[in-house]
């Protein structure tokens, strides 16, 4: 570079900026070659080694000074018996388009043998004619490990029978397999980059907390079961996903740099629901057994009825009421002949204040002021269970709904079961739940009917003893 050109360059950079030194292209090429993760060597048209990088030195032990300038591999990097074949396969790349892949054994400096996989291609001059060959090689087991990793990744994202999602550092899906897309109710490309809150209506906080923890601390020791509600065009779906998490870090950085989280999950909703139903059934069966033993120790059958009621409340409802038929039990025929709605009299109720055992209100009393169409009256007239709910309404409207039906003000869901004994209707038992519980379901009605049978038997016995 001339002095005038250097001066012009200095003026362009400014008077306070230092002059940039002239760089040698050979130094840059050497740095690039030595920084490669793959071993690389090159030959000229006569088969003389012209380049040898540090990864080649690491694998075979021969330094660049020892390798460059040698003709072929014969006698030092390849056994003499194999040299002609190996060199012929390498140099054939000069006459072939594209890259060629070969596997053969090379010799290390200490006399060992290393099986390598090579990729060789022609080096062409300015006129387009081949002037040599470059050869990149790596140990076969290293290449196989890489290919296995790639194959595993492709299989996970194409054929896996569980969901696989790569979540970036911003907690947004970056790659999604087909199974996960179906589970999330959308397509593989449509959910990329979208916040998880747009895909899930419930459980997103727990999921994002788990992802954040993995980014900061690493993978948890065991899978986690997360309940979520998935938004779909058909509506929300409640699902349970057994999830495993892996922190992804870049292998190219000196310090681990988190690239995101690998999230693998499997839908275990049916299994969890089966476990919950089995556990609930066992608990309710135990409660019925305990109630029967406690009722057997009651001298007054009416107290035995409240014992069954109290045991049934545990984990099932917040309040309970027992109403008997005014004037005594009625057969189905007598119910049909009754003019006007039936009348019910309160027999027992759970305390409205502090929790405690159900209280008997006395055998004689005034009829409860139930309006026509009340769930308890419908239950008695139909001799079948009736469910009712205030629905998703404001708290004040739910309170008005409960008070209008003569129930405690915090009641939101109700289940009425008929009390039947000796083919007669004795009354109705009503179970009530607050806003913190879900509405009664069909399985709840079946349990309430089991409890009602025991209460009805006790009340029928109490009525028979009273008449004696």
């Amino acid at each position: 570079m001339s002095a005038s050109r250097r001066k012009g360059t200095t003026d362009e950079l400014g008077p306070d900026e230092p002059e940039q030194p002239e760089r040698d292209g050979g130094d840059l090429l050497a740095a690039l070659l030595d920084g490669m993760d793959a071993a690389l060597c090159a030959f000229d048209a006569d088969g003389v080694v012209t380049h040898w990088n540090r990864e080649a030195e690491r694998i075979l032990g021969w330094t660049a000074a020892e390798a460059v300038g040698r003709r072929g591999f014969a006698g030092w990097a390849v056994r003499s018996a194999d040299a002609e074949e190996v060199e012929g396969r390498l140099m054939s790349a000069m006459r072939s388009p594209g890259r060629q892949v070969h596997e053969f054994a090379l010799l290390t400096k200490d006399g060992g043998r290393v099986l390598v996989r090579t990729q060789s291609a022609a080096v062409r001059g300015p006129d387009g004619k081949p002037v040599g060959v470059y050869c990149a090689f790596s140990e076969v087991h290293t290449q196989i490990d890489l290919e296995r990793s790639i194959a595993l990744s492709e299989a996970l994202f194409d054929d896996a029978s569980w969901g696989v999602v790569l979540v970036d550092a911003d907690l947004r899906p970056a790659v999604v397999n087909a199974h996960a897309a179906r589970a999330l109710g959308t397509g593989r490309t449509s959910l990329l980059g979208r916040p998880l809150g747009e895909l899930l209506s419930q459980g997103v906080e727990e999921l994002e907390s788990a992802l954040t923890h993995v980014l900061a601390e690493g993978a948890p020791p065991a899978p986690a079961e997360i309940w979520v509600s998935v938004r779909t065009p058909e509506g929300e779906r409640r699902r349970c996903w057994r999830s495993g998490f892996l922190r992804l870090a870049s292998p190219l950085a000196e310090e681990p740099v988190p690239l995101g989280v690998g999230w693998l999950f499997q839908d275990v909703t049916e299994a969890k629901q089966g476990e919950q139903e089995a556990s609930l059934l066992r608990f309710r069966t135990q409660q019925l057994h305990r109630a029967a033993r406690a009722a057997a120790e009651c001298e007054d059958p009416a107290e035995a009825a409240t014992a069954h009621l109290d045991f049934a409340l545990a984990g099932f409802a917040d309040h309970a009421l027992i109403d008997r038929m005014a004037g005594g039990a009625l057969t189905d025929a007598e119910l049909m002949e009754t003019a006007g709605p039936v009348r019910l009299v309160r027999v027992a109720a759970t305390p409205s204040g502090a929790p405690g055992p159900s209280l008997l209100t006395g055998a004689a009393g005034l009829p409860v002021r139930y309006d026509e169409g009340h769930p308890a009256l419908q239950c008695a007239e139909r001799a079948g269970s009736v469910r009712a709910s205030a629905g998703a309404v404001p708290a004040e409207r739910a309170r008005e709904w409960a008070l209008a039906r003569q129930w405690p003000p915090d009641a939101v869901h109700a289940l009425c079961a008929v009390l039947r004994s000796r083919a007669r209707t004795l009354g109705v038992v009503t179970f009530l739940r607050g806003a913190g519980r879900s509405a009664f379901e069909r399985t709840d009605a079946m349990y309430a009917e089991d409890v009602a049978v025991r209460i009805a038997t006790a009340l029928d016995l109490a009525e028979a003893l009273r008449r004696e």
Side-chain angles (χ1 to χ4, degrees):
M1 183 180 292
S2 64
S4 61
R5 186 174 179 183
R6 286 199 300 271
K7 180 179 179 181
T9 304
T10 304
D11 292 341
E12 291 176 5
L13 294 173
D16 298 330
E17 296 186 20
E19 180 181 350
Q20 295 297 323
E22 189 172 358
R23 298 188 180 275
D24 185 359
D27 294 339
L28 179 59
L29 176 60
L32 291 173
L33 293 177
D34 288 338
M36 292 177 62
D37 292 331
L40 186 137
C41 63
F43 304 87
D44 62 15
D46 298 325
V48 176
V49 179
T50 59
H51 295 80
W52 189 268
N53 72 348
R54 289 185 180 177
E55 185 64 13
E57 178 181 341
R58 185 193 67 80
I59 294 176
L60 298 180
W62 301 97
T63 65
E66 296 170 322
V68 173
R70 290 178 179 262
R71 183 181 181 84
F73 283 157
W76 62 286
V78 175
R79 292 191 313 172
S80 300
D82 301 330
E84 183 177 353
E85 179 188 359
V86 171
E87 292 177 15
R89 291 162 68 182
L90 288 177
M91 299 306 292
S92 66
M94 293 182 62
R95 301 181 299 275
S96 303
R99 293 180 297 177
Q100 293 187 344
V101 178
H102 302 286
E103 288 185 7
F104 43 75
L106 296 181
L107 296 178
T108 62
K109 187 175 181 180
D110 58 8
R113 298 183 70 194
V114 178
L115 184 63
V116 299
R117 178 173 296 177
T118 66
Q119 294 186 30
S120 55
V123 177
R124 302 187 181 278
D127 57 358
K129 295 182 179 180
V131 296
V133 174
Y134 78 84
C135 172
F137 63 91
S138 61
E139 298 174 83
V140 166
H141 71 83
T142 302
Q143 183 71 19
I144 291 176
D145 289 344
L146 175 61
E147 292 179 3
R148 283 174 178 164
S149 298
I150 296 173
L152 175 61
S153 299
E154 292 180 350
L156 286 175
F157 286 103
D158 289 334
D159 306 323
S161 60
W162 57 87
V164 182
V165 181
L166 296 189
V167 183
D168 63 19
D170 294 329
L171 306 186
R172 300 192 179 201
V175 186
V176 181
N177 76 341
H179 186 97
R182 290 192 299 269
L184 291 166
T186 183
R188 294 182 64 177
T189 58
S190 61
L191 58 80
L192 300 182
R194 294 172 57 186
L196 294 173
E198 294 183 5
L199 307 171
L200 308 174
S201 60
Q202 295 181 5
V204 63
E205 296 85 0
E206 184 179 0
L207 178 57
E208 288 184 343
S209 176
L211 295 172
T212 302
H213 172 80
V214 173
L215 281 172
E217 304 293 338
E225 292 177 352
I226 302 176
W227 282 93
V228 299
S229 291
V230 184
R231 290 191 174 100
T232 67
E234 296 78 22
E236 293 187 358
R237 293 184 303 169
R238 183 74 170 159
R239 313 305 296 169
C240 180
W241 291 338
R242 180 172 292 149
S243 303
F245 303 93
L246 299 170
R247 181 167 62 177
L248 306 179
S250 173
L252 303 179
E254 295 183 3
E255 296 293 333
V257 177
L259 298 178
V261 176
W263 171 31
L264 293 82
F265 66 90
Q266 189 174 25
D267 195 321
V268 293
T269 307
E270 294 184 3
K272 293 301 295 183
Q273 288 177 341
E275 293 175 6
Q276 292 176 351
E277 290 173 1
S279 177
L280 182 61
L281 179 60
R282 286 194 301 268
F283 174 75
R284 289 179 175 178
T285 302
Q286 292 172 357
Q287 288 298 98
L288 291 175
H289 173 72
R290 294 173 183 145
R293 295 187 60 182
E297 301 299 325
C298 296
E299 296 182 4
D300 184 357
E303 293 182 357
T306 60
H308 284 291
L309 191 67
D310 292 335
F311 275 94
L313 279 178
F316 182 68
D318 299 315
H319 304 285
L321 312 168
I322 298 178
D323 300 324
R324 65 175 177 82
M325 301 290 290
L330 298 176
T331 64
D332 294 342
E334 291 171 340
L335 275 173
M336 295 179 63
E337 295 174 358
T338 301
V342 299
R343 294 186 302 162
L344 298 174
V345 177
R346 183 65 43 82
V347 174
T350 53
S352 58
S358 301
L359 304 176
L360 292 169
T361 58
L366 298 176
V368 186
R369 295 180 294 107
Y370 288 154
D371 294 334
E372 185 177 355
H374 191 282
L377 298 181
Q378 295 181 37
C379 177
E381 293 169 354
R382 300 173 184 176
S385 299
V386 175
R387 286 176 284 167
S389 178
V393 297
E396 187 60 32
R397 290 190 58 186
R399 177 184 175 88
E400 294 174 359
W401 178 85
L403 293 177
R405 287 157 181 77
Q406 308 300 315
W407 291 331
D410 59 340
V412 176
H413 312 292
L415 171 59
C416 299
V418 65
L419 302 176
R420 296 274 295 179
S421 178
R422 295 186 293 165
R424 300 175 305 153
T425 298
L426 279 68
V428 175
V429 57
T430 302
F431 295 98
L432 301 168
R433 287 178 177 175
R437 295 177 181 264
S438 61
F440 289 100
E441 298 178 356
R442 179 56 192 156
T443 54
D444 298 323
M446 295 171 63
Y447 177 61
E449 290 166 0
D450 285 343
V451 176
V453 169
R454 291 162 170 78
I455 294 175
T457 302
L459 291 180
D460 194 14
L461 177 60
E463 183 67 17
L465 292 177
R466 187 176 64 83
R467 291 179 179 178
E468 290 182 356

